[in-house]
Amino acid sequence: MDQGFDRSVFVANNTGIVSTGDNASITQITFAPGTPKPAEEVPAPPDVFGLHSGKSPVFKGRSSEQTHLKSILDGPPGSVAVITGCGGVGKTSLATQTASQYRGHYNPIWEISGGDATQVEFGLSRLACRIDPGLVDHPSEVAAEWARAWLQTHDTWLLVLDNVSSPGDVRLLLGEMPQGRFIVTSHQATGWHHIAPAMPLDVLDPAAALDLLTTIAALDSEDLSSAAIVCEELGYLPLAIELAAANMAQTRLRPSHYLENLRAAPLDVLVDDSASDDPAHTVARVIQANLERISGHPLAKELIRIMAWYAPEGIPCSLFFRMETPKAAHAAFGLLAKYSLIRFIDEPGDPTLRVHRLVQTMVMALSRISPGGTFDSSCTATELLRKALRDEEPEEGFKTWWRRSLMPHLDSLATKIEDDDETLGSAALYEIAGYFLLGQGQLAQARHYAERLHQVMVRIGAGPTGSPEVQNLLGQIQIAAGDTSAATEHFKQALDEATPTLGEDSRSILAYHMNHARAILAAGDHAAAISMLNDVVSDCVNALGGDDPLTLTARANLGHAYEVSGDTATAISLFSQVLFDRLHTLGLEHESTAASLAALGGVHFANRDAIGAIPYFEQALAVRARVLGNDHLDTVTSQNNLAVALCQIGELHRAISLLEQVIDNSPGIFAPDGAELMSTRTRLADLYIATEQHDRAISMYSQLLHSQIRTNGADHPSTLATTNMLGLAYRAVDDLSRAINFYEQALIGRTQVLGRDHQDTFNSRNNLAYAYRLAGDFARAISLYEETLEFAIKTLGPRNPAVIDMRNNIASLRAKQ
């Protein structure tokens, strides 16, 4: 009995076939389901809708992309739209949001994961079972085949093939079904030409990204500025922004605190899946999946590690030809682009590459925790930039543009590199950058790299001063900045440290002596500077020869010293001889020759000989444009100098053309609101007035006014002067309402800032009175004219003709009342 009990079955709530006994057996027969209905005879049930996500209230931007997709989906049967892009850019969201809008127009609308053939088969079988529920009992491969037949015989459906690994995985499927419409999404950017033109999806624009973040996180207005920075740090990638916003909403974290966490531990933040509905779909995992796809290609892995050091935009392809052949480099670029880790940007002459900011962040974070660390990639990134900045471009005119285009990458590298990874190569790179930026007039940036150079040299054991060359560079920057005391000290340090080692006749020592004399001259001690430069010239002739470039530079500096001291004749003589020698030794097409031409023009112009100066200015400009390029500081300076000289002889239209070129070439040279650019705009606007180009004057004065308000404030005398000129320009086009408005602002401001009796205030009163008179407002005109008359009597006397005319004008206006 106990034995029988042990073999019993306790059924409880279980159901099914039960067998007991020593020799019990079960035979189960499964009857095959019936033959499926012919696919062509089965209509689609109403509203077969199988998108994993429908319309979303937080879907932002993408209006132009949706318009493009709709133009394809509204086309004939067989139309295919292909969306490509990096992970997290929003390909699936765009596809499903757009497809949802066709609900009721196409049926079925169905989403199938295209990761591999098995997923595609599964998605088709699910669709078959939705159309004909009787297929549920059939094997999945039978249902999938039935779905293919159904799609081939019907024509009002729309399929979304999501996250397709490669074009080859779906090419046959698309070719078999020419009756419906497809949206295909894929991280693979290339290889779609046999299927359809691919639409690369970019990140969100800043406004849409900020809207997405603030909507999900429900942020207050005071968080908007830090939220905008979060969007920028995340590279405007929709998935990253959505997860960041969800994290903020979940943890009640302010954007500024999220930003701190992101910068301190980017990998931890990007891996965090606590706020994600799909833990596998975080930014880090999406990017890592694509990085794993290139793991078998060593060069591609090395290139993406190097690119992580640079700025995300505008990385020249040719930069990497210094480490690999162009053929090998392009093969690696192609692989990286294929998996949307980089994107090619077509540029005139030299294509560039773009890497998403978060790809760089992930690559850098993963490198830091890898056994090799970041040292090798930082050294290679540094060396590539150093070689590129040293290179002389084949076309000299593009040299400045080329070097300036590399500066953002140097800035990025210098920001990311750690102290322990800086080497003599880093120091050499910073030195090149310092001299280049000094020549471009970018003194703050030049000083930054000079100081970085100094820190590296001290750290690697070059002594407390860094090196004589560091001190020389710092001294030249201080001269340009007007700090002659600091410049003198730097040059003295360079001389004190280098002379015992190099000797008095060394080229470097002679250059340091010359620069020291320049600092003395800039400090105002003309006699001492002239004496020192005479000695330098003599020493250069003895050590290097009379035609050596350094000797000629020393003589040019001596000429400048005589010019500053007021000895114009000696200056012209020296400048002329240096020009002759430079033409003989260097030729016309050299920047030093152009400098001599510019110096001769400058000394003639300073001596009030504009006619004598103009030919030199013209030649200097022509040479600099050819040798240095139109966007070099020296070229722009020559354009400005020639324009000023042309104004002196009345050639205003030529001057206008040159000043317009100065403004066109100013980006990268002058700060947008800097004094140099505002001075040029003022001069150009005044010339527009003088040549009766009043609409252009209004436009230029308006730009200038906005810059001055931002920089100097609305009550600054220069701002008020521009306000007054805008009134004059509007009066010239008979827009008296605006003219009076600007004249009133100028008068109020000048009265408050300069005082009632200042000459500028007097001019504003007179201008406003005249505008009132033209507008027929005689009462206000008379009141202002009487104030003007009172001032004129004080300054000119009661019997001055101008005072008498004012009295007559007032009387005439009173008669018209």
Side-chain angles (χ1 to χ4, degrees), residues 468-589:
E469 191 54 36
V470 172
Q471 295 303 315
N472 183 59
L473 174 56
L474 286 167
Q476 293 193 58
I477 293 169
Q478 295 294 1
I479 282 184
D483 190 344
T484 57
S485 176
T488 301
E489 186 59 33
H490 285 303
F491 291 133
K492 284 177 63 179
Q493 287 187 6
L495 285 166
D496 291 344
E497 184 173 343
T499 302
T501 304
L502 301 178
E504 288 286 353
D505 294 337
S506 146
R507 177 180 292 273
S508 294
I509 296 300
L510 293 170
Y512 299 161
H513 274 300
M514 179 179 65
N515 289 334
H516 188 202
R518 289 174 54 216
I520 298 297
L521 177 67
D525 193 343
H526 302 162
I530 289 172
S531 175
M532 293 173 68
L533 285 167
N534 269 308
D535 290 342
V536 172
V537 170
S538 178
D539 291 341
C540 284
V541 171
N542 292 332
L544 307 173
D547 290 339
D548 187 87
L550 185 60
T551 304
L552 298 177
T553 300
R555 286 165 54 200
N557 277 293
L558 179 58
H560 177 63
Y562 278 113
E563 178 188 3
V564 171
S565 70
D567 189 346
T568 303
T570 303
I572 291 176
S573 175
L574 281 166
F575 284 147
S576 299
Q577 186 61 50
V578 172
L579 174 60
F580 177 84
D581 290 341
R582 280 176 168 168
L583 285 169
H584 176 69
T585 58
L586 302 175
L588 177 62
E589 301 298 306

Side-chain angles (χ1 to χ4, degrees), residues 159-231:
L159 291 189
V160 176
L161 301 179
D162 187 41
N163 198 28
V164 173
S165 296
S166 71
D169 292 344
V170 295
R171 186 175 176 185
L172 181 60
L173 176 66
L174 297 174
E176 289 175 344
M177 302 175 186
Q179 302 302 313
R181 281 93 176 156
F182 288 93
I183 302 177
V184 179
T185 74
S186 178
H187 60 261
Q188 183 164 323
T190 58
W192 297 99
H193 50 280
H194 290 299
I195 295 174
M199 180 182 78
L201 188 62
D202 210 340
V203 296
L204 292 172
D205 65 66
L210 182 60
D211 190 13
L212 176 62
L213 181 69
T214 54
T215 300
I216 297 174
L219 299 177
D220 296 328
S221 57
E222 60 264 25
D223 288 324
L224 290 182
S225 59
S226 54
I229 299 174
V230 169
C231 292

Side-chain angles (χ1 to χ4, degrees), residues 513-747:
H513 274 300
M514 179 179 65
N515 289 334
H516 188 202
R518 289 174 54 216
I520 298 297
L521 177 67
D525 193 343
H526 302 162
I530 289 172
S531 175
M532 293 173 68
L533 285 167
N534 269 308
D535 290 342
V536 172
V537 170
S538 178
D539 291 341
C540 284
V541 171
N542 292 332
L544 307 173
D547 290 339
D548 187 87
L550 185 60
T551 304
L552 298 177
T553 300
R555 286 165 54 200
N557 277 293
L558 179 58
H560 177 63
Y562 278 113
E563 178 188 3
V564 171
S565 70
D567 189 346
T568 303
T570 303
I572 291 176
S573 175
L574 281 166
F575 284 147
S576 299
Q577 186 61 50
V578 172
L579 174 60
F580 177 84
D581 290 341
R582 280 176 168 168
L583 285 169
H584 176 69
T585 58
L586 302 175
L588 177 62
E589 301 298 306
H590 195 280
E591 56 186 292
S592 295
T593 307
S596 285
L597 289 166
L600 271 167
V603 73
H604 279 286
F605 187 77
N607 204 33
R608 299 186 178 182
D609 181 11
I611 294 176
I614 286 173
Y616 290 113
F617 282 153
E618 289 175 331
Q619 290 182 71
L621 173 57
V623 174
R624 282 172 166 172
R626 291 192 298 267
V627 173
L628 302 175
N630 288 324
D631 58 350
H632 193 280
L633 175 61
D634 290 346
T635 307
V636 171
T637 300
S638 283
Q639 289 170 332
N640 189 71
N641 291 342
L642 179 56
V644 173
L646 289 170
C647 288
Q648 292 290 316
I649 64 171
E651 293 194 26
L652 304 187
H653 288 283
R654 281 188 66 193
I656 286 172
S657 177
L658 286 165
L659 292 176
E660 288 173 341
Q661 292 177 51
V662 169
I663 291 174
D664 289 342
N665 294 326
S666 65
I669 299 177
F670 301 134
D673 293 336
E676 300 91 345
L677 191 54
M678 284 198 280
S679 174
T680 301
R681 284 177 172 167
T682 300
R683 184 176 291 113
L684 181 56
D686 292 346
L687 288 175
Y688 284 147
I689 289 287
T691 55
E692 298 184 352
Q693 300 181 64
H694 299 122
D695 289 337
R696 287 186 171 185
I698 289 170
S699 175
M700 187 59 64
Y701 281 132
S702 297
Q703 295 177 40
L704 179 62
L705 182 61
H706 290 145
S707 294
Q708 289 173 325
I709 290 173
R710 284 194 302 269
T711 305
N712 301 325
D715 58 352
H716 192 276
S718 63
T719 308
L720 296 172
T722 301
T723 305
N724 183 71
M725 292 303 296
L726 263 172
L728 176 64
Y730 277 115
R731 193 194 77 192
V733 295
D734 295 325
D735 190 341
L736 293 177
S737 175
R738 283 194 175 94
I740 288 171
N741 178 49
F742 283 109
Y743 277 150
E744 287 175 339
Q745 291 181 48
L747 177 57

Side-chain angles (χ1 to χ4, degrees), residues 335-357:
L335 185 65
L336 293 169
K338 177 180 179 179
Y339 294 115
S340 298
L341 290 167
I342 66 171
R343 179 178 288 187
F344 286 102
I345 305 297
D346 291 329
E347 300 281 357
D350 188 10
T352 63
L353 306 171
R354 186 172 74 181
V355 189
H356 192 274
R357 188 187 298 265

Side-chain angles (χ1 to χ4, degrees), residues 226-280:
S226 54
I229 299 174
V230 169
C231 292
E232 182 181 3
E233 291 275 329
L234 295 174
Y236 307 109
L237 190 71
L239 175 61
I241 293 169
E242 187 173 339
L243 291 176
N247 182 278
M248 292 177 204
Q250 178 176 292
T251 61
R252 298 296 189 269
L253 203 64
R254 300 284 294 272
S256 56
H257 297 142
Y258 181 90
L259 192 62
E260 290 174 5
N261 294 341
L262 178 64
R263 289 172 173 172
L267 191 58
D268 292 343
V269 172
L270 297 176
V271 169
D272 183 14
D273 59 13
S274 59
S276 174
D277 294 333
D278 180 4

Side-chain angles (χ1 to χ4, degrees), residues 261-542:
N261 294 341
L262 178 64
R263 289 172 173 172
L267 191 58
D268 292 343
V269 172
L270 297 176
V271 169
D272 183 14
D273 59 13
S274 59
S276 174
D277 294 333
D278 180 4
H281 201 55
T282 62
V283 177
R285 291 187 174 90
V286 168
I287 294 174
Q288 279 182 289
N290 281 345
L291 290 173
E292 289 170 2
R293 292 183 173 98
I294 65 163
S295 58
H297 196 293
L299 181 56
K301 287 173 59 180
E302 185 178 7
L303 290 183
I304 198 67
R305 283 166 66 101
I306 294 168
M307 291 180 202
W309 292 97
Y310 297 150
E313 307 276 349
I315 306 173
C317 291
S318 61
L319 191 64
F320 301 96
F321 299 163
R322 293 163 177 81
M323 60 178 286
E324 276 293 345
T325 65
K327 181 179 180 181
H330 273 290
F333 296 154
L335 185 65
L336 293 169
K338 177 180 179 179
Y339 294 115
S340 298
L341 290 167
I342 66 171
R343 179 178 288 187
F344 286 102
I345 305 297
D346 291 329
E347 300 281 357
D350 188 10
T352 63
L353 306 171
R354 186 172 74 181
V355 189
H356 192 274
R357 188 187 298 265
L358 290 185
V359 172
Q360 292 182 308
T361 301
M362 280 296 301
V363 169
M364 190 70 72
L366 293 171
S367 296
R368 292 192 193 283
I369 61 175
S370 68
T374 59
F375 181 75
D376 288 343
S377 59
S378 70
C379 289
T380 306
T382 298
E383 187 63 10
L384 290 177
L385 275 181
R386 188 189 68 80
K387 289 180 178 178
L389 285 167
R390 278 287 190 210
D391 276 356
E392 298 294 324
E393 290 297 290
E395 297 182 55
E396 288 286 331
F398 291 99
K399 187 195 306 181
T400 302
W401 167 84
W402 167 250
R403 290 175 176 170
R404 189 181 296 148
S405 73
L406 297 176
M407 284 298 109
H409 305 302
L410 174 55
D411 292 340
S412 175
L413 174 66
T415 300
K416 295 174 182 177
I417 196 167
E418 296 179 354
D419 291 348
D420 291 342
D421 286 346
E422 289 183 309
T423 63
L424 280 173
S426 305
L429 178 60
Y430 299 155
E431 181 181 352
I432 295 168
Y435 277 110
F436 171 71
L437 293 165
L438 171 63
Q440 288 290 290
Q442 306 294 315
L443 301 184
Q445 288 178 280
R447 183 182 295 111
H448 167 73
Y449 283 110
E451 290 171 351
R452 285 292 292 265
L453 166 62
H454 179 261
Q455 292 165 8
V456 175
M457 296 302 291
V458 170
R459 190 181 304 121
I460 63 178
T465 63
S467 73
E469 191 54 36
V470 172
Q471 295 303 315
N472 183 59
L473 174 56
L474 286 167
Q476 293 193 58
I477 293 169
Q478 295 294 1
I479 282 184
D483 190 344
T484 57
S485 176
T488 301
E489 186 59 33
H490 285 303
F491 291 133
K492 284 177 63 179
Q493 287 187 6
L495 285 166
D496 291 344
E497 184 173 343
T499 302
T501 304
L502 301 178
E504 288 286 353
D505 294 337
S506 146
R507 177 180 292 273
S508 294
I509 296 300
L510 293 170
Y512 299 161
H513 274 300
M514 179 179 65
N515 289 334
H516 188 202
R518 289 174 54 216
I520 298 297
L521 177 67
D525 193 343
H526 302 162
I530 289 172
S531 175
M532 293 173 68
L533 285 167
N534 269 308
D535 290 342
V536 172
V537 170
S538 178
D539 291 341
C540 284
V541 171
N542 292 332

